[in-house]
Amino acid sequence: MTLLPLPAPGSTPARVLTIAGSDPGGGAGIQADLRTMALLGVHGCVAVTAVTVQNTVGVQGFHEVPGDVVAAQMRAVVTDIGVQAAKTGMLASSDIIAAVAGAWRELNLGVPLVVDPVCASMHGDALLAPAARDALRAQLFPLATLVTPNLDEVRLLVGIDVVDAASQRAAAKALHALGPRWALVKGGHLRSSAHSTDLLYDGTDFYSFDAPRIDTGNDHGGGDTLAAAAACALAHGFTVPDAVAFAKRWVTECLRAAYPLGRGHGPVSPLFRLSEGR
Ligand code: PXL
């Protein structure tokens, strides 16, 4: 696949900040974000929000970073290193969401912000306090360039059960009404279809992105990988529809290259990139 322009050795690459949680198993969260960023030739910066305790079988718990420490990490990075885009993943609590939204407004960077509204792991373990969903909708969505919920998150955030194209359009409208510039409703969890169709909406037009469904149990970190790739493309100046098209192709290749790990769900993998052109 056509990738992003790579930096010449010794030249400073594009920088993207991820504000997200750690997965010690290395499959999702900041570990997935950094892997995709590195393999796309982007320098990844990190504001850690939470340390989860998990493996491929499930999440045993997590420990939150105080909101002011998350905001301080953001400030430290953007005032020195500078970033061309940012993304959020697991935000854990209302305190962290308020701090991230406050810091983002204060820093006023004018660069794209991708909000992946992580609510739970694929095993259904909570990664966001239910009481914090209001903060996510009210405080962070209006600051987002792009929000990227999966169908479970759509149900939790706007109460719509996406079962077909019409309900997917209704969900995109309801999400867009919460204030993001663009809303992407990912259809990957609609298991009845042989395709995975994501629907993007900007308040006027719908854009549909179709890929073959890759049947694998090793899909841990798929959402993180899509949002990270979109943030990298936006950092390179792609339009949002072009960034989403790129990210969709990237995550499809990462699903094809996913590998078994542990006793549960293995991770999607951008490591295919290392053997390209050999
Ligand atoms: O894939 C969503 C996600 C994001 N961040 C962390 C996670 C997960 C899923 O398990 O653990 C830290």
Side-chain angles (χ1 to χ4, degrees):
M1 65 178 285
T2 313
L3 292 162
L4 302 177
L6 292 178
S11 72
T12 306
R15 280 87 65 207
V16 171
L17 170 64
T18 175
I19 306 161
S22 165
D23 169 4
I30 60 181
Q31 288 80 2
D33 291 344
L34 290 177
R35 199 158 42 240
T36 271
M37 289 173 191
L39 287 160
L40 289 174
V42 166
H43 178 93
C45 299
V46 181
V48 185
T49 57
V51 175
T52 73
V53 177
Q54 66 176 298
N55 51 28
T56 65
V57 182
V59 180
Q60 282 94 56
F62 63 81
H63 181 77
E64 289 170 37
V65 174
D68 57 343
V69 179
V70 176
Q73 294 175 80
M74 293 169 62
R75 270 186 221 108
V77 166
V78 304
T79 56
D80 173 40
I81 295 168
V83 299
Q84 288 76 49
K87 72 154 286 224
T88 64
M90 174 185 180
L91 294 174
S93 70
S94 314
D95 172 50
I96 293 175
I97 292 167
V100 169
W104 190 258
R105 276 197 308 269
E106 159 208 317
L107 292 165
N108 195 21
L109 300 177
V111 304
L113 174 65
V114 178
V115 172
D116 183 19
V118 173
C119 294
S121 78
M122 65 198 320
H123 305 280
D125 306 305
L127 297 174
L128 180 73
R133 279 182 221 139
D134 269 343
L136 195 58
R137 279 185 295 247
Q139 296 175 42
L140 206 53
F141 272 37
L143 303 178
T145 308
L146 171 67
V147 297
T148 62
N150 62 33
L151 297 186
D152 298 317
E153 290 153 358
V154 166
R155 200 174 305 111
L156 290 171
L157 292 167
V158 293
I160 294 176
D161 220 349
V162 173
V163 291
D164 56 14
S167 46
Q168 196 174 20
R169 275 194 299 276
K173 285 185 175 173
L175 286 157
H176 186 265
L178 295 171
R181 178 81 184 75
W182 298 80
L184 181 71
V185 177
K186 296 181 293 185
H189 290 191
L190 206 58
R191 305 233 173 259
S192 54
S193 167
H195 292 260
S196 161
T197 304
D198 299 350
L199 190 69
L200 180 67
Y201 183 61
D202 67 350
T204 309
D205 297 311
F206 289 100
Y207 302 75
S208 185
F209 303 88
D210 204 51
R213 168 176 306 287
I214 311 296
D215 228 334
T216 175
N218 301 319
D219 51 1
H220 188 44
D224 318 54
T225 296
L226 180 128
C232 289
L234 291 169
H236 276 286
F238 283 39
T239 64
V240 171
D242 285 350
V244 169
F246 171 76
K248 179 80 171 161
R249 287 197 303 275
W250 178 255
V251 78
T252 302
E253 291 309 310
C254 292
L255 278 158
R256 281 191 217 282
Y259 49 84
L261 192 73
R263 285 168 291 125
H265 293 268
V268 307
S269 173
L271 300 181
F272 70 88
R273 179 94 177 82
L274 296 172
S275 48
E276 271 182 358
R278 277 206 300 181

